[in-house]
Amino acid sequence: MLRLLQIELQKLLENRISKILIFFSFILPFFIILLSSFKINFFGLFTIDLGSVGIFDFPYIWHITTFFAALFKLFFAIVVVSMIGNEYSNKTIKQNLIDGLSKKEFILSKFYALLFFSVISTLLVGILTLAIGLYYNGDSEAYYMFSESIFLLAYFVKLIGFFSLCLFAAVLIKRSAFALAFLFILFIVEWIIYGIILKNYDDDIATKIHNYFPLKSMWKLIDEPFRRIVAMKSPEKTELIYDYAVHWQEIGIVAVWTTIFIYCSFKLLQKRDL
């Protein structure tokens, strides 16, 4: 495992564009989250203080930070599809196989890299979330502080699932730009199918089926926190309450899709004449 991971990391870190994209995918979300936790005065005209709203209080902060950090996964998605696209364009995949790397090991090296960066990203989000949360309410009890830390697990599973889909798209199509276009087309197709189901069944059934689709299931892992923020400011408006919790069934669905994408990537590569 370490040998395969080392091979892949060496390839990524030797590529200037990959290093820039990795930097932005890791640093930008943390910079924005950290910046938003401070009071910002705009030329004495007005002050933005999101902390006063309570969104950085435990346990809400786990939901807030993981949701917004996950939005930046598109930066690393470009790195993922480029990993495969560059292998084909530079013909390094053939060289790797000639040097003794099996097709299974080739796919595993990519997956281990995705796993590595997902773990690093999750740890950084966890540390930053804990630091900001302690800054705003350091006297919280440990149980209360970590009561919603399951959002970190959801964040990790979401990254792995999405990056595995990107890997499959890249292996399927070979070209980076078209692989990214495939993801957009998949998003549209999912909503078209949802619309067709909605015409024949009620909204509850259509939504439940939609939640099993790849992209929607990944999105559903961490629901948008905006209604929760509004409810925090206006707790008397009970109609704003919704199910924002992370459910094990949702984690399981994304885990199954992740397995399918990695397996299909290997099978495609195995049957393809390189």
Side-chain angles (χ1 to χ4, degrees), residues 189-237:
V189 169
E190 285 192 6
W191 280 99
I192 290 175
I193 296 174
Y194 168 73
I196 294 173
I197 298 173
L198 192 59
K199 285 185 177 180
N200 298 283
Y201 300 94
D202 60 44
D203 181 66
D204 185 55
I205 294 176
T207 299
K208 286 181 178 179
I209 295 174
H210 192 199
N211 288 340
Y212 281 90
F213 294 172
L215 289 174
K216 183 61 190 300
S217 64
M218 295 172 197
W219 173 265
K220 193 74 176 61
L221 269 177
I222 306 177
D223 279 310
E224 51 82 14
F226 304 112
R227 283 177 289 173
R228 190 179 186 187
I229 294 172
V230 173
M232 287 162 53
K233 293 189 66 176
S234 307
E236 69 279 0
K237 297 182 178 181

Side-chain angles (χ1 to χ4, degrees), residues 38-58:
F38 298 133
K39 294 181 180 180
I40 303 175
N41 188 290
F42 286 87
F43 309 106
L45 299 175
F46 60 93
T47 300
I48 295 180
D49 183 13
L50 296 178
S52 62
V53 181
I55 64 173
F56 296 122
D57 292 347
F58 289 121

Side-chain angles (χ1 to χ4, degrees), residues 109-270:
S109 68
K110 307 298 181 187
F111 178 70
Y112 291 152
L114 305 184
L115 190 64
F116 174 78
F117 285 112
S118 297
V119 169
I120 295 298
S121 181
T122 303
L123 288 174
L124 289 175
V125 170
I127 293 171
L128 182 63
T129 301
L130 194 59
I132 295 174
L134 288 172
Y135 174 78
Y136 277 96
N137 41 129
D139 57 345
S140 299
E141 296 182 0
Y143 173 79
Y144 187 71
M145 284 168 52
F146 294 99
S147 61
E148 292 188 14
S149 58
I150 191 173
F151 278 103
L152 267 184
L153 175 62
Y155 174 75
F156 172 74
V157 174
K158 187 172 186 173
L159 291 187
I160 287 293
F162 184 71
F163 295 154
S164 298
L165 171 58
C166 293
L167 178 63
F168 169 70
V171 172
L172 178 66
I173 302 175
K174 298 182 183 180
R175 295 180 179 272
S176 303
F178 291 118
L180 292 172
F182 171 83
L183 298 176
F184 180 69
I185 292 171
L186 178 62
F187 172 77
I188 295 175
V189 169
E190 285 192 6
W191 280 99
I192 290 175
I193 296 174
Y194 168 73
I196 294 173
I197 298 173
L198 192 59
K199 285 185 177 180
N200 298 283
Y201 300 94
D202 60 44
D203 181 66
D204 185 55
I205 294 176
T207 299
K208 286 181 178 179
I209 295 174
H210 192 199
N211 288 340
Y212 281 90
F213 294 172
L215 289 174
K216 183 61 190 300
S217 64
M218 295 172 197
W219 173 265
K220 193 74 176 61
L221 269 177
I222 306 177
D223 279 310
E224 51 82 14
F226 304 112
R227 283 177 289 173
R228 190 179 186 187
I229 294 172
V230 173
M232 287 162 53
K233 293 189 66 176
S234 307
E236 69 279 0
K237 297 182 178 181
T238 55
E239 70 274 10
L240 292 174
I241 297 176
Y242 69 110
D243 184 14
Y244 56 82
V246 176
H247 300 284
W248 289 107
Q249 178 189 356
E250 296 168 348
I251 291 177
I253 293 171
V254 177
V256 169
W257 277 118
T258 301
T259 305
I260 291 173
F261 292 140
I262 297 299
Y263 178 77
C264 289
S265 298
F266 167 64
K267 282 299 180 181
L268 276 173
L269 194 65
Q270 190 179 45

